[in-house]
Amino acid sequence: MISFEEISTVWKVVFGKLKYWILLFAVAILFYELNVLIASLRSISSFFTNFSFFPTVNFLLTLSAGFKETIKFHSFVIIIILSLMFGILASLILFKIDSKITTKDKKAGLIGAIGIILATLAPSCAACGLGLVSILGISAGFFALLPYEGLEFSILAIFLVAFTILKISKDLTTCEICKINLKNERRK
């Protein structure tokens, strides 16, 4: 059973350090920007052919700021949630590496990878935020056939990434192979 007290202890140690907060927000911003880039790839490409590099970067920043206006509200919320979750996951993984922890538990890594792939492939908007699925040749029509227009994949991705975050957090305190001395980590 997952003890939220143990998990909160791990998070206090991990996020008690500035570098893990920086990593969290850097990964979140990169994931968000990746979604903006994928959703607006044609517009950005067309803009770049007509203008130079710096106006295109400015255009990308404008698209990023107004991205919530171009997609459904639930899609925007899911992208923000997944962005933050990926940031948390990246921080926990880096903490684990920094603490020189090795694990034989490959299930958490596999489930997390599947969640990340699902979130990248279909970030919940059937019309415009198809993510990499559209690049792979699957059209919006496929998602329109689903009962919730592809939202199912995003919800599944959130659950898989959340499970991975909880599993890694738990393993840092309970798994005999991964277990760390949190008191020593607080001093670093």
Side-chain angles (χ1 to χ4, degrees):
M1 187 74 188
I2 295 176
S3 165
F4 289 104
E5 185 177 315
E6 292 172 341
I7 291 171
S8 69
T9 303
V10 169
W11 283 30
K12 285 177 186 175
V13 172
V14 173
F15 294 108
K17 298 176 183 174
L18 180 62
K19 74 177 184 177
Y20 297 112
W21 279 105
I22 292 170
L23 180 65
L24 184 154
F25 288 112
V27 169
I29 290 168
L30 284 173
F31 184 77
Y32 177 81
E33 289 300 324
L34 177 67
N35 277 280
V36 171
L37 182 68
I38 290 170
S40 309
L41 197 56
R42 286 190 181 138
S43 298
I44 294 168
S45 174
S46 174
F47 197 89
F48 185 72
T49 56
N50 294 324
F51 300 98
S52 64
F53 176 74
F54 291 111
T56 304
V57 170
N58 190 27
F59 180 62
L60 179 61
L61 294 174
T62 303
L63 287 173
S64 297
F67 189 56
K68 69 179 178 187
E69 307 301 328
T70 64
I71 60 175
K72 292 181 180 178
F73 180 74
H74 71 272
S75 298
F76 180 73
V77 170
I78 287 173
I79 289 171
I80 296 298
I81 291 169
L82 283 170
S83 297
L84 292 172
M85 290 176 77
F86 288 149
I88 292 169
L89 184 60
S91 295
L92 289 171
I93 290 170
L94 183 63
F95 176 78
K96 197 171 187 179
I97 292 169
D98 284 350
S99 301
K100 296 177 178 58
I101 298 171
T102 58
T103 180
K104 292 182 181 176
D105 185 5
K106 304 292 185 214
K107 290 179 187 174
L110 177 63
I111 292 171
I114 292 170
I116 290 169
I117 290 168
L118 281 174
T120 305
L121 288 177
S124 82
C125 182
C128 58
L130 279 176
L132 295 177
V133 170
S134 60
I135 294 172
L136 298 174
I138 299 175
S139 68
F142 169 76
F143 287 103
L145 296 175
L146 295 172
Y148 299 104
E149 299 177 339
L151 182 62
E152 304 90 337
F153 288 109
S154 297
I155 301 297
L156 179 61
I158 287 174
F159 281 115
L160 290 175
V161 175
F163 174 78
T164 303
I165 289 170
L166 293 175
K167 177 87 170 102
I168 289 173
S169 298
K170 181 183 174 218
D171 287 350
L172 288 170
T173 59
T174 61
C175 177
E176 289 303 317
I177 297 167
C178 299
K179 196 172 187 177
I180 60 170
N181 186 345
L182 293 175
K183 292 177 185 174
N184 288 343
E185 288 300 320
R186 285 184 182 152
R187 291 184 200 135
K188 287 183 180 178

